[in-house]
């Protein structure tokens, strides 16, 4: 009976910006090495010039390969008889979630990051995704930001963000942190700077206070989420502030969508459990005619005032906490 797959055990692969290197025990039966979308059929083949074999070590140069965004390519080989070979790293369970990934580069033309990684079954794979998706959702770094206060007035938006992290694995200082906006509804990673901010440290927590004086530099009809950049060693991670305190949850609770005027810019605020608070700039004259737009004083959201409504929101927040804890690799809220 013909084998469906041959699992070839390898040492932990060594990733670089252009190559993958790993040791294999048996080389004699391997005929060709390729990237596959379905873990069976070749999609992108390695040329002979891209393959270097030294004793039992294979080094593959993938720098000339072009990968489509948001598709996962698996590294496989074929035997002389046409049986697919999977390169399997057995020590996957020993690695932390963020240790299985290697950022190849952020390409200037589209802002996407190329991510080399070892999947949960120990196979080598590669994909191109936006940096905030990679760093927030895929790497599952034990660092998260929670917005603890959020105030809108006719002149500015002010917010406080609490950043907590695994102090055993990281030593983060205020100079490593910078708040930004990330365009979340685009295939590209667009980063917009927030210039008026302060970062401090109390015990082991990082605190950010920021002010958004205007939004004129944000693209129209583009959803921006609050995020922060962490620079550690040679890496730069972009993490969404997708956590909110119960106070902010009540102010800008799910399905809330409000428009207001900020420095002659019409701004829409909404909230989603994945990206946190979303801000969007408009110039539509229809919005200017809405009575709900506030032109002076502090903008007040449509809060739930009844006791039963507040209890319902409080329960929604508890459910929200439990959902996040269940989905996060970092089990601390």
């Amino acid at each position: 009976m013909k084998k469906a797959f041959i699992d070839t055990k390898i040492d932990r692969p060594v990733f670089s910006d252009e190559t993958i290197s790993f040791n294999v025990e048996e080389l004699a039966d391997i005929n060709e090495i390729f990237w596959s979308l379905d873990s069976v059929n070749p999609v992108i083949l390695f040329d002979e010039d891209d393959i270097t074999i030294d004793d039992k070590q294979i080094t593959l140069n993938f720098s000339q390969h072009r990968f489509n965004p948001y598709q996962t390519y698996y590294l496989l080989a074929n035997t002389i008889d046409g049986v697919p070979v999977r390169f399997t790293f057995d020590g996957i369970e020993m690695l932390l979630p963020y240790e299985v990934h290697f950022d190849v580069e952020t390409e200037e033309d589209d802002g996407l990051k190329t991510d080399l990684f070892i999947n949960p079954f120990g196979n080598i794979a590669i994909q191109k995704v936006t940096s905030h998706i990679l760093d927030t959702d895929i790497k599952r770094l034990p660092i998260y930001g929670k917005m603890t206060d959020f105030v809108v007035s006719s002149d500015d938006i002010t917010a406080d963000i609490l950043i907590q992290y695994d102090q055993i694995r990281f030593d983060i200082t205020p100079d490593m942190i910078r708040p930004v906006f990330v365009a979340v509804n685009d295939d590209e990673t667009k980063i917009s700077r927030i210039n008026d901010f302060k970062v401090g440290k109390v015990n082991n927590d990082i605190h950010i206070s920021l002010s958004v004086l205007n939004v004129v530099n944000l693209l129209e009809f583009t959803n921006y989420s609050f995020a922060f950049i962490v620079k550690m060693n040679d890496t730069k991670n972009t993490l969404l502030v997708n956590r909110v305190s119960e106070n902010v949850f009540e102010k800008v609770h799910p399905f809330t969508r409000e428009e207001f005027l900020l420095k002659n810019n019409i701004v829409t605020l909404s909230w989603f459990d994945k990206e946190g608070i979303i801000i969007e700039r408009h110039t539509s004259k229809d919005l200017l005619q809405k009575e709900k737009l506030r032109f002076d004083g502090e903008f007040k959201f449509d809060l739930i005032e009844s006791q039963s409504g507040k209890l319902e929101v409080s329960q929604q927040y508890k459910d929200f906490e439990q959902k996040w804890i269940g989905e996060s690799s970092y089990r601390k809220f």
Side-chain angles (χ1 to χ4, degrees):
M1 184 176 178
K2 184 178 179 180
K3 291 183 178 180
F5 286 99
I6 295 175
D7 281 326
T8 298
K9 303 302 180 185
I10 64 174
D11 295 336
R12 182 177 178 178
V14 178
F15 299 143
S16 78
D17 287 349
E18 295 185 345
T19 63
I20 308 166
S21 299
F22 52 88
N23 291 331
V24 295
E25 292 298 325
E26 299 293 336
L27 288 171
D29 292 335
I30 292 178
N31 184 38
E32 59 183 2
I33 303 176
F34 58 89
W35 294 107
S36 171
L37 285 172
D38 57 10
S39 296
V40 177
N41 299 304
V43 174
I44 302 173
L45 291 172
F46 283 82
D47 296 331
E48 288 185 6
D49 294 341
D50 294 331
I51 301 174
T52 303
I53 299 176
D54 183 8
D55 192 16
K56 294 180 179 180
Q57 185 178 70
I58 297 178
T59 300
L60 304 172
N61 189 316
F62 60 86
S63 61
Q64 300 304 311
H65 295 171
R66 293 294 174 259
F67 302 96
N68 292 324
Y70 305 103
Q71 290 184 315
T72 301
Y73 296 80
Y74 299 95
L75 185 67
L76 279 86
N78 269 335
T79 66
I80 296 173
D81 297 328
V83 181
V85 178
R86 293 185 295 203
F87 302 105
T88 305
F89 171 65
D90 277 344
I92 184 68
E93 70 281 352
M94 300 167 55
L95 299 178
L96 297 167
Y98 55 90
E99 289 182 325
V100 303
H101 297 274
F102 179 84
D103 294 340
V104 176
E105 61 185 357
T106 300
E107 302 204 8
E108 293 183 2
D109 57 343
D110 58 11
L112 298 179
K113 276 191 176 181
T114 302
D115 177 35
L116 270 169
F117 64 99
I118 310 170
N119 79 351
F121 301 101
N123 308 126
I124 298 173
I126 195 168
Q127 62 184 345
K128 286 180 68 174
V129 294
T130 61
S131 62
H132 66 276
I133 290 177
L134 173 61
D135 297 335
T136 306
D137 297 340
I138 298 177
K139 277 188 178 179
R140 306 182 85 78
L141 286 166
I143 305 170
Y144 78 92
K146 177 164 67 174
M147 189 166 290
T148 57
D149 198 15
F150 191 82
V151 178
V152 177
S153 73
S154 59
D155 293 325
D156 60 13
I157 297 171
T158 60
D160 294 333
I161 298 170
L162 171 68
I163 296 175
Q164 295 183 304
Y165 55 95
D166 191 325
Q167 295 127 23
I168 296 175
R169 301 190 181 108
F170 302 108
D171 182 20
I172 297 176
T173 57
D175 60 296
M176 299 163 64
I177 302 287
R178 174 179 191 93
V180 293
F181 284 124
V182 171
V184 296
N185 60 338
D186 202 304
D187 287 347
E188 299 178 346
T189 298
K190 295 188 179 73
I191 302 293
S192 296
R193 298 165 68 93
I194 296 174
N195 293 313
D196 191 3
F197 68 92
K198 294 181 180 178
V199 183
K201 192 170 185 177
V202 178
N203 298 323
N204 288 317
D205 296 332
I206 301 289
H207 294 260
I208 300 176
S209 296
L210 61 90
S211 296
V212 182
L213 302 179
N214 62 68
V215 292
V216 70
N217 293 325
L218 301 182
L219 296 176
E220 292 180 286
F221 311 110
T222 300
N223 288 330
Y224 287 89
S225 181
F226 290 89
F228 58 97
I229 291 176
V230 183
K231 293 184 178 180
M232 296 182 294
N233 301 322
D234 295 328
T235 64
K236 185 174 71 171
N237 301 107
T238 305
L239 296 158
L240 295 176
V241 180
N242 55 359
R243 313 300 312 127
V244 293
S245 66
E246 187 168 0
N247 170 49
V248 176
F249 187 87
E250 183 177 345
K251 284 183 177 180
V252 196
H253 51 83
F255 313 116
T256 293
R257 186 174 179 85
E258 300 285 359
E259 295 88 17
F260 62 96
L261 196 67
L262 177 63
K263 292 285 188 178
N264 297 317
N265 289 277
I266 304 167
V267 176
T268 300
L269 286 177
S270 53
W271 185 90
F272 299 94
D273 60 355
K274 185 180 178 69
E275 293 93 3
I277 292 177
I278 300 293
I279 184 170
E280 183 179 6
R281 183 171 73 92
H282 306 266
T283 56
S284 171
K285 293 182 179 179
D286 293 337
L287 287 179
L288 277 173
Q289 298 172 0
K290 288 192 174 183
E291 293 182 0
K292 66 167 57 176
L293 288 175
R294 314 299 172 90
F295 294 89
D296 55 11
E298 183 179 314
F299 178 81
K300 299 294 185 183
F301 295 97
D302 292 334
L303 300 182
I304 297 175
E305 299 293 347
S306 68
Q307 186 62 30
S308 61
K310 287 181 177 293
L311 289 174
E312 182 180 353
V313 170
S314 182
Q315 184 58 49
Q316 288 175 352
Y317 183 73
K318 290 177 182 177
D319 295 341
F320 171 66
E321 282 182 314
Q322 292 304 312
K323 178 183 176 184
W324 180 81
I325 291 171
E327 294 179 350
S328 174
S329 61
Y330 188 33
R331 309 290 180 178
K332 181 179 178 182
F333 191 85

